[in-house]
Amino acid sequence: MTSTPRRTSGEIRNLHTQTGAFLFEFEERSWSDPMKGHAENPLCTPLLLEPKSVALNKNRQAWRTMERKGFKVTKDVGCLLPHLQYGKSITESGAKMNGCGYKTSMGFFTGLIGNHPSAPERDTDGRPISLEVSHLCHRSSCINPMHLVAEPKWCNLKRNYCGKNSGCNCGNTIKCLRMYQTSHTLEKTSLCTTKKEVLETLKELKGVHPFKILAKNAYDERDQKAIQKRQTKAKNQKKRKRQADKQAHAAGKKAAKKSS
């Protein structure tokens, strides 16, 4: 049984851009407030990345890797949808994807990596207050930092019943952008198809987190170097295997000669 060759980042990127994704490059600036300037409960304590830490660099690399594969942009509220491997959704073929691109986004733009271990799980009224990341757009695959907010679990749970009639009616201070959708709802979304549409739809995001839209061939040189590196690695592996086989054969002949 032959295994299917693993697709390169360049191949994944090309397939993603062919189906509507754009290549972005976001600036690295000081972090924004993951609580969006409002804390529903003073006992909530976010756990943030340490400056100049290994974890910080790892998060930056993870973001850039995801970013280089491109994002699709929805026309309705401007969701940024990464490649399926980073999203949490269901594909048209029925495959469930459980990536954590939104966590990488929160780390890159706000420094948030989770709930602080010392923070209490419930408040004095018994409500769960562990910090969770809520999607104001109700698209679990979205990584737009303007659509993500860290808030107590009880606030996040209230959003699961939002917008059944019309508008945001979950009662949270920070309003939802869309009616609630389950994580694995299959929906056909209208996407931006031109650079002009993307810039118009993401006008607010660009004002807070500046970005550039790159040409589709922006990473061609990088991809070519990666292919050459991969080919060289495969060639060296074959060479080492031939040498090992040759040594094993010589050792076998020597052992047979001694025993005779």
Side-chain angles (χ1 to χ4, degrees):
M1 181 179 177
T2 58
S3 59
T4 304
R6 183 180 175 184
R7 288 186 299 176
T8 65
S9 293
E11 290 171 335
I12 293 172
R13 181 187 311 110
N14 290 337
L15 287 170
H16 202 206
T17 54
Q18 286 170 15
T19 55
F22 289 82
L23 299 182
F24 288 76
E25 185 177 78
F26 281 85
E27 290 184 15
E28 288 191 36
R29 289 192 164 190
S30 56
W31 289 329
S32 59
D33 182 4
M35 304 290 287
K36 296 289 177 75
H38 175 84
E40 290 285 356
N41 194 302
L43 295 176
C44 290
T45 310
L47 180 64
L48 302 175
L49 289 164
E50 293 288 339
K52 299 181 180 180
S53 64
V54 173
L56 173 63
N57 288 330
K58 187 176 180 181
N59 178 267
R60 281 176 175 168
Q61 291 171 9
W63 168 264
R64 293 303 183 194
T65 299
M66 178 171 67
E67 182 185 60
R68 283 193 293 269
K69 293 186 175 78
F71 304 130
K72 294 179 180 179
V73 183
T74 67
K75 285 184 178 180
D76 51 5
V77 292
C79 290
L80 284 178
L81 306 179
H83 185 266
L84 285 173
Q85 69 186 104
Y86 301 106
K88 186 176 182 182
S89 58
I90 186 168
T91 66
E92 291 185 4
S93 64
K96 292 182 179 180
M97 310 300 290
N98 293 296
C100 295
Y102 70 94
K103 292 183 180 179
T104 302
S105 177
M106 284 295 280
F108 183 81
F109 291 105
T110 72
L112 178 78
I113 53 175
N115 193 57
H116 201 281
S118 63
E121 292 185 5
R122 297 183 178 273
D123 63 12
T124 53
D125 296 321
R127 293 178 298 187
I129 58 170
S130 295
L131 279 180
E132 293 186 347
V133 177
S134 293
H135 284 79
L136 303 180
C137 57
H138 294 301
R139 282 194 180 102
S140 298
S141 295
C142 179
I143 53 85
N144 185 337
M146 303 296 288
H147 295 183
L148 306 176
V149 60
E151 60 187 1
K153 184 175 182 177
W154 67 273
C155 292
N156 191 9
L157 291 174
K158 284 170 65 179
R159 296 190 188 278
N160 294 349
Y161 306 94
C162 184
K164 186 173 182 180
N165 298 317
S166 63
C168 177
N169 56 11
C170 63
N172 282 312
T173 305
I174 303 174
K175 300 301 181 183
C176 297
L177 299 173
R178 261 185 5 124
M179 179 180 172
Y180 173 71
Q181 302 281 330
T182 63
S183 299
H184 297 311
T185 297
L186 178 60
E187 58 172 343
K188 291 192 175 181
T189 309
S190 182
L191 301 174
C192 294
T193 56
T194 66
K195 181 178 178 180
K196 184 178 179 181
E197 282 183 341
V198 170
L199 292 175
E200 182 62 32
T201 304
L202 301 180
K203 188 186 298 182
E204 183 183 2
L205 172 63
K206 188 172 174 61
V208 180
H209 300 290
F211 62 81
K212 293 188 294 185
I213 297 180
L214 308 179
K216 289 188 176 182
N217 64 351
Y219 297 110
D220 282 0
E221 185 178 344
R222 181 190 182 97
D223 292 342
Q224 192 58 40
K225 287 181 179 178
I227 291 171
Q228 291 173 353
K229 186 177 180 180
R230 193 174 186 179
Q231 290 174 341
T232 301
K233 183 179 179 181
K235 186 177 179 181
N236 289 337
Q237 285 177 337
K238 286 182 180 179
K239 185 178 179 181
R240 286 194 293 270
K241 188 178 184 304
R242 285 197 301 268
Q243 290 174 341
D245 290 344
K246 189 176 180 180
Q247 290 172 355
H249 181 68
K253 283 181 68 176
K254 189 177 180 179
K257 189 175 181 180
K258 279 186 178 181
S259 62
S260 62

